[in-house]
């Protein structure tokens, strides 16, 4: 059963949220995974009218890409839309969805950023630190400028913020835009990109993201 670490209360102001990110950032660990993951979770949030949202988690068998478990949770966010603080809108509902899983995933793949974040603490870092599960951020858009990788599957270029390499623009398929991969927690960038490629055999986005996004659209 998943246990959520009680490291902070959920803030109501931007300054409180920034302080939480700065306090938790040193807890992020970048490390080579010691075991080959067998299951991976995709996490996505779909927004409805007003502050209503649908948080979705799907768990896939990495070898077959079969969906082993899924949770769809309807909720309402109480935190405003502030760039760099999306975790405070989305993480509370995603954490409740994770707690309802019957299959505990070996790694989380978040539709968002990890270290590729102004304070190096995006959604993937936040969820990883609170759950102590390995986590990876797979964003659809970059946090800053980047050079386009070669148009072949597996090509990549570095993502940099303030002269720090924080992730990679990774081409998962030829002829489509890259995705933007960054470490969340308990992973390294080489292993993260290798896993994203393994989970994206046919399309731009990994199957973890695709299955979660699909459930969010139909529920």
């Amino acid at each position: 059963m998943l246990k959520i670490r009680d490291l902070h209360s959920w803030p109501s102001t931007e300054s409180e949220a920034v302080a939480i990110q700065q306090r938790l950032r040193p807890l992020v660990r970048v490390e080579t995974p010691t075991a080959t993951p067998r299951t991976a979770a995709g996490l996505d949030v779909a927004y409805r009218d007003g502050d209503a949202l649908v948080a979705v988690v799907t768990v896939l068998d990495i070898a077959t890409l079969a969906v082993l478990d899924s949770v769809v949770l309807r909720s309402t966010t109480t935190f405003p839309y502030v760039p760099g603080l999306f975790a405070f809108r989305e993480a509370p509902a995603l954490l409740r969805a994770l707690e309802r899983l019957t299959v505990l995933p070996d790694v989380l793949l978040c539709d968002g950023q990890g270290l590729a974040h102004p304070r190096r603490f995006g959604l993937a870092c936040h969820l990883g630190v609170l759950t102590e599960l390995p986590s990876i951020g797979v964003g659809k858009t970059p946090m800053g400028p980047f050079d386009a990788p070669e148009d072949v599957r597996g090509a990549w270029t570095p993502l940099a913020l303030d002269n720090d390499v924080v992730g990679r623009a990774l081409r998962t398929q030829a002829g489509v835009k890259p995705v933007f991969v960054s470490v969340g927690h308990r992973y390294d960038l080489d292993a993260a990109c290798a896993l994203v490629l393994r989970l994206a055999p046919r399309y731009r986005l990994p199957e973890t993201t695709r299955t979660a996004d699909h459930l969010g659209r139909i529920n």
Side-chain angles (χ1 to χ4, degrees), residues 47-129:
Y47 288 92
R48 300 293 185 255
D49 293 337
D51 292 324
L53 58 80
V54 178
V56 182
V57 180
T58 58
V59 181
L60 273 61
D61 181 303
I62 293 174
T64 66
L65 301 182
V67 177
L68 304 177
D69 195 9
S70 64
V71 173
V72 177
L73 186 146
R74 294 171 182 82
S75 185
T76 302
T77 184
T78 60
F79 196 84
Y81 179 93
V82 181
L85 299 177
F86 294 146
F88 296 95
R89 289 176 63 82
E90 301 184 354
L94 288 171
L95 289 167
R96 292 199 299 273
L98 283 166
E99 288 180 308
R100 298 184 184 186
L101 290 173
T102 58
V103 177
L104 185 65
D106 294 326
V107 57
L108 309 178
L109 274 78
C110 304
D111 180 25
Q113 312 293 344
L115 292 176
H117 179 274
R119 285 172 293 280
R120 311 300 187 266
F121 200 76
L123 176 64
C125 297
H126 208 140
L127 292 174
V129 165

Side-chain angles (χ1 to χ4, degrees), residues 153-177:
R153 174 175 162 83
W156 60 269
T157 54
L159 291 176
L161 288 175
D162 304 321
N163 297 318
D164 292 333
V165 174
V166 294
R168 290 177 184 170
L170 175 67
R171 191 86 67 181
T172 54
Q173 304 294 331
V176 301
K177 296 178 181 179

Side-chain angles (χ1 to χ4, degrees), residues 182-199:
S182 58
V183 171
H185 185 52
R186 296 182 57 202
Y187 239 73
D188 66 40
L189 196 50
D190 285 340
C193 288
L195 181 58
V196 170
L197 283 172
R198 185 173 181 183
L199 290 167

